[in-house]
Amino acid sequence: MGEPKAPPGYPDEEFHQSLRPRDFGEYVGQGAVLEQLEISVSAARARGEALDHVLLHGPPGLGKTSLAAVLARELDVPMHTSAGPLVPRTGDMVALLNSLARNEILFIDEIHRLAPAVAEVLYPAMEDHYVDIMVGEKLGAHSLRIDLPPFTLIGATTRADLLTGPLRDRFPLVHQLEFYSIAEVETVLARSARVLRVHLDPDAGGEIASRARGTPRVANNLLRRVRDYAEVRSDGTIRRDTALALLEIAQVDGQGLDRFDRKILESLLDNFSGGPVGVANLAATLGMDNRTLEEVHEPYLIYRGFLRRTGKGRMITDRGARHLGRAASGTLFP
Ligand code: ADP
């Protein structure tokens, strides 16, 4: 029970599904969030009630979907899975809500991408367990109320700031997921290696973990690539030298930055004298879409102190410039 069905169009979903932690015990890290959710789950179970609605936010790959599935399993209820772009009309949302049985979970990934009118359907559903639909035509048109059973909405988003105030306010439980420590990523990798039945030397695991941007999804993706490399180039065992060779080919540097991260920093220095520059302008210069820049790359660059968000736009920091071997003014270090 509780296993999410993959929404179509998500690359690699099957691979990541196979590696998902199944319960609180297997879920690595995020200690404070987990502790609070364990209490909420125990209380809901003891009362036989639906868990309060949960909003999980944080950069992609930190385990929001996995945590939703863990909650479903711990509550022992089915989870229905969808995503903002997959629910384009109010009628689709009504149908989703209407399919829920008592205490079940509706997981909506990328909930910030729901159209405002579709999100509005959720307001009375979340608060008072009903939806209003319009039936009939012209003069005969009238609204019909459909009662819903108690249910739990779990929303996941990389951009909590884009949620409307009323939607955000209807989540009693709001939790932000943080980047993982290197040791936590090593634990994720060791478990993934066991599931995939590959031999991962601990020092190879440590090397991959230190370059995985504190993100389990990135770590698992690197592990998959290193596994392929080890199988093709050697006996399949992942040793430190194999991991290093693949990381070199994948152009992941010692701090875990990929070539797009470095291009962002380079462009800030070379095209905008270090900034500040608006995100749309920076993204256009790089031929990248705003969303990828803001949601995938920026959070880690900011977390590592390589880039700063200011009221006037993005700026490279001294640390970011030094990472490129340059001064913040753009000149090469002597
Ligand atoms: P998100 O929904 O935040 O984008 P996912 O839940 O899809 O992230 O996680 C991406 C991958 O990382 C999955 O393969 C999952 O197995 C792994 N993962 C994420 N969080 C954890 C965790 N806390 N412990 C173990 N594996 C994790």
Side-chain angles (χ1 to χ4, degrees), residues 16 19-21 27-28 61-66 180 188 216-217 220:
H16 289 290
L19 297 180
R20 288 226 154 92
Y27 195 91
V28 177
L62 291 193
K64 299 180 291 298
T65 309
S66 304
Y180 292 67
V188 170
R217 179 183 291 270
N220 284 341

Side-chain angles (χ1 to χ4, degrees), residues 10 12-13 15-23 26-30 34 56-68 107 109 156-158 177 180 184 187-189 191-192 215-221:
Y10 277 49
D12 298 339
E13 194 49 39
F15 170 72
H16 289 290
Q17 193 115 303
S18 70
L19 297 180
R20 288 226 154 92
R22 283 165 302 186
D23 52 29
E26 286 185 356
Y27 195 91
V28 177
Q30 310 293 346
L34 237 53
L56 300 173
H57 63 104
L62 291 193
K64 299 180 291 298
T65 309
S66 304
L67 186 49
F107 174 66
D109 200 6
T157 181
T158 46
L177 299 194
Y180 292 67
E184 287 167 344
T187 309
V188 170
L189 282 168
R191 175 173 172 273
S192 300
T215 305
R217 179 183 291 270
V218 174
N220 284 341
N221 280 338

Side-chain angles (χ1 to χ4, degrees), residues 19 41 92 156 160 194 199 277 289:
L19 297 180
V41 165
D92 302 319
R194 277 198 305 278
H199 184 87
V277 56
D289 70 278

